[in-house]
Amino acid sequence: TPDDPYVIGMSQCNLGEPWRAQMNDDIRKAAEKHPNLKVIFKDAQNDSLVQRSQLEEFVNQGVDVVLISPKEAAPLTEPVAKAFHGGIPVIVLDRALLKEEYTSFIGADNVKIGREAGKWVAETLGGKGNIVELKGLMTSVPGQDRHRGFLEGLDLKAHPGIKIVFEADMQWLEPNARKEMESALARQPKVDVVYAHNDPGAHGAYLAAKQVGREKQMKFVGIDALPQEGVQYVKEGILSVTFQYPTGGAEAVDMALKVLAGETVPKKVTLATKVFTHDNAAAGGQAIP
Ligand code: FRU
């Protein structure tokens, strides 16, 4: 009841990133429709140890459901398992863990997104060119999967003229991507495509290239496709393409309600993705089956 609401504890790994602010907004908006729900938001500020203790606080507090979008897989697998085995339903969002000891995982298929990016790059390069890859945090599963999928889609064996000439871990952060791109540009006279594992990374790379007057010599590929971020960059011609990575926030609230009602929920929910290019961005992108 509204007087005695169910309490959802939501641990967000780094609210400072726009995509994560969007996820929290999606959760807030979905929860507002249900007067019997109260959400407590915590921001781990990009620190896995802080996130671990937030999880423990939620458990000690006795929240009814935990939502978590974990920073890194290894440090958060056990605390999540412990909460779950202690009887608290845990819904994991976006970044996978090392074990499936939780109620459910909601997220898009990062291998597939990486593969689509790789196919797009191979086609656009027409079999020849130099790539810079700016990776997301490689201790998080989306970074690993977006890299693996990219290599699959790129198919370097079939395209011997394509080379990844520089790769670095920018840990999902735009300032890091910009610095890494400065190094890449200093070392590589010819860069044709930058594949960044998220739109902030692609934008940071663009700014580095623009600073030295080289931004028109290369194409920038990103992931996330927030309307006010990646899609806007595509419309402005800053990025050539971005792939949508839905937050899953609304889906998580719907699932929490089902769990609270005693319904069984799937162990894994895979969210759909879309591609946004200059040609289709105004029309809302194109679904990838
Ligand atoms: C935000 C973010 C997104 C990315 C996701 C991967 O922290 O870096 O840009 O798509 O996390 O988990």
Side-chain angles (χ1 to χ4, degrees), residues 12-21 23 46 69-71 93-96 110 136-137 140-143 146 170-173 197-201 223-226 229 243 245-246:
Q12 182 58 271
C13 63
N14 190 20
L15 192 56
E17 291 171 66
W19 186 84
R20 301 200 168 273
M23 187 198 284
N46 217 19
S69 194
K71 180 183 178 191
L93 282 140
D94 130 68
R95 295 191 184 169
N110 285 297
L137 184 68
S140 69
V141 177
R146 289 177 193 185
M170 52 80 178
Q171 301 170 319
W172 305 116
L173 301 174
H197 287 193
N198 66 1
D199 291 334
I223 295 169
D224 278 346
L226 292 180
E229 190 184 51
F243 297 86
Y245 190 56

Side-chain angles (χ1 to χ4, degrees), residues 132-135 170 194-203 205 221-223:
V132 168
E133 183 178 2
L134 298 174
K135 297 172 180 166
M170 52 80 178
V194 178
Y195 166 54
H197 287 193
N198 66 1
D199 291 334
H203 188 246
V221 178
I223 295 169

Side-chain angles (χ1 to χ4, degrees), residues 177-239:
R178 189 171 176 164
K179 280 199 204 91
E180 294 296 349
M181 188 64 187
E182 284 169 7
S183 308
L185 290 164
R187 284 184 223 175
Q188 292 297 333
K190 187 172 177 289
V191 174
D192 302 294
V193 168
V194 178
Y195 166 54
H197 287 193
N198 66 1
D199 291 334
H203 188 246
Y206 168 83
L207 292 178
K210 191 171 156 66
Q211 183 154 341
V212 294
R214 288 171 63 182
E215 81 280 9
K216 294 203 171 62
Q217 298 166 15
M218 61 197 79
K219 294 191 160 65
F220 298 87
V221 178
I223 295 169
D224 278 346
L226 292 180
Q228 71 280 18
E229 190 184 51
V231 173
Q232 187 58 30
Y233 295 151
V234 167
K235 286 181 181 162
E236 290 170 16
I238 291 172
L239 302 189

Side-chain angles (χ1 to χ4, degrees), residues 86-102:
I88 299 184
V90 183
I91 300 170
V92 179
L93 282 140
D94 130 68
R95 295 191 184 169
L97 296 172
L98 303 180
K99 294 181 189 163
E100 294 181 359
E101 294 180 22
Y102 44 67

